[in-house]
């Protein structure tokens, strides 16, 4: 079966660093994505990993270990606007155009 | 980021009625997707569309659903006879060709079935 696990909620302080973990067990794997979703809005693309290691993009970094079925999203210098849900998604097998399998999302609350 | 527009932003319909949700990708892309998100739940894949044909579909995408690209630009999702449980946000997404084919989501259509 397809299973993607991430914590339901997290709280962090403005200016701090937070790490959101994601573990996955899927029948196929062709990349892992992180999306940000503010309440009532569409998911917006944050990062993509297909090889093991760390990808850095400004205040956001994402890490992947394929052997462990594990990824994390690291957010630095947290801002109030970072309060949102963060969705971990695995692209199923089927080439680069395969559909995404989403986790339930982690709701991050940033406090002053 | 490639732009995707969806209409309407909100659709209210009665159970048993047909609805058509529209997606307009601004630029040309080969791969399109429909996802839905029931309130408070995860985003779920419905169907992917490639080269004017269905590429893949999930178990959710049963005979009540259909997709078309009627005029080469608009991309539609039709639900023939809506049920209460079809109430959800419906997102159109398109894949940007390249090394990662990341998927960009439209703003969504909120469908409310009463």
């Amino acid at each position: 079966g397809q299973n993607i696990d991430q914590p339901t909620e997290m709280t962090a302080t403005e200016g701090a660093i937070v790490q959101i973990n994601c573990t996955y067990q899927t029948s196929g794997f062709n990349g892992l994505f992180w999306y940000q979703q503010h309440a009532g809005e569409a998911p917006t693309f944050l990062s993509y990993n297909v090889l093991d290691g760390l990808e850095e993009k400004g205040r956001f970094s994402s890490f992947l270990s394929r052997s462990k079925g594990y990824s994390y999203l690291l957010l630095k210098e947290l801002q109030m606007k970072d309060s949102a849900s963060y969705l971990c998604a695995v692209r199923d097998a089927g080439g680069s155009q395969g559909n995404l399998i989403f986790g339930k999302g982690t709701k991050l609350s940033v406090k002053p | 980021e490639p732009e995707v527009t969806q209409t309407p932003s909100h659709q209210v319909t009665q159970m048993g009625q047909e609805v058509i949700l529209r997606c307009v990708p601004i630029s040309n892309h080969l791969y399109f997707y429909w996802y839905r998100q029931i309130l408070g739940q995860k985003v779920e894949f419905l169907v992917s569309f490639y080269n004017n044909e269905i590429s893949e579909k999930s178990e959710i995408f049963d005979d009540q659903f259909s997709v078309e690209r009627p005029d080469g630009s608009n991309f539609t999702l039709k639900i023939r006879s809506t049920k209460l449980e079809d109430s959800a946000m419906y997102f159109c997404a398109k894949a940007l060709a390249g090394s990662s084919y990341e998927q960009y989501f439209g703003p969504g259509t909120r469908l409310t079935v009463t």
Side-chain angles (χ1 to χ4, degrees), chain B residues 4 10 16-17 36 45 51 53 62 74 77 86 92 95 100-101 104-105 111:
Chain B
V4 178
H10 191 187
Q17 295 297 305
R36 79 171 186 191
F45 168 73
N51 204 22
E53 290 184 353
D62 60 21
N74 289 336
L77 174 70
D86 293 328
C92 168
S100 63
Y101 284 84
Y104 291 92
F105 284 70
L111 176 65

Side-chain angles (χ1 to χ4, degrees), chain A residues 28-45:
Chain A
F29 179 85
N30 196 9
L32 188 140
F33 295 78
W34 284 95
Y35 283 81
Q36 181 190 62
Q37 186 178 30
H38 285 98
E41 297 183 8
T44 55
F45 171 75

Side-chain angles (χ1 to χ4, degrees), chain B residues 73-90:
Chain B
S73 58
N74 289 336
F75 181 45
T76 64
L77 174 70
K78 182 191 292 185
I79 308 175
R80 291 191 181 84
S81 179
T82 50
K83 302 186 283 287
L84 293 177
E85 53 264 39
D86 293 328
S87 295
M89 282 290 287
Y90 288 82

Side-chain angles (χ1 to χ4, degrees), chain A residues 2 4 6-7 9-10 12 14 19 28 31 49-50 65 70 104:
Chain A
Q2 318 278 44
I4 298 176
Q6 46 183 136
E9 293 185 33
M10 297 183 73
E14 192 176 14
Q19 177 174 312
N49 296 71
V50 68
S65 169
Y70 167 70
K104 293 181 179 179

Side-chain angles (χ1 to χ4, degrees), chain A residues 35 37 42 91 96-97 99, chain B residues 33 35 37 56 100-101 103 106:
Chain A
Y35 283 81
Q37 186 178 30
R91 183 162 57 201
S96 298
Q97 66 275 19
N99 59 281
Chain B
Y33 309 81
Y35 292 86
Q37 186 175 32
E56 196 173 354
S100 63
Y101 284 84
Q103 294 181 21

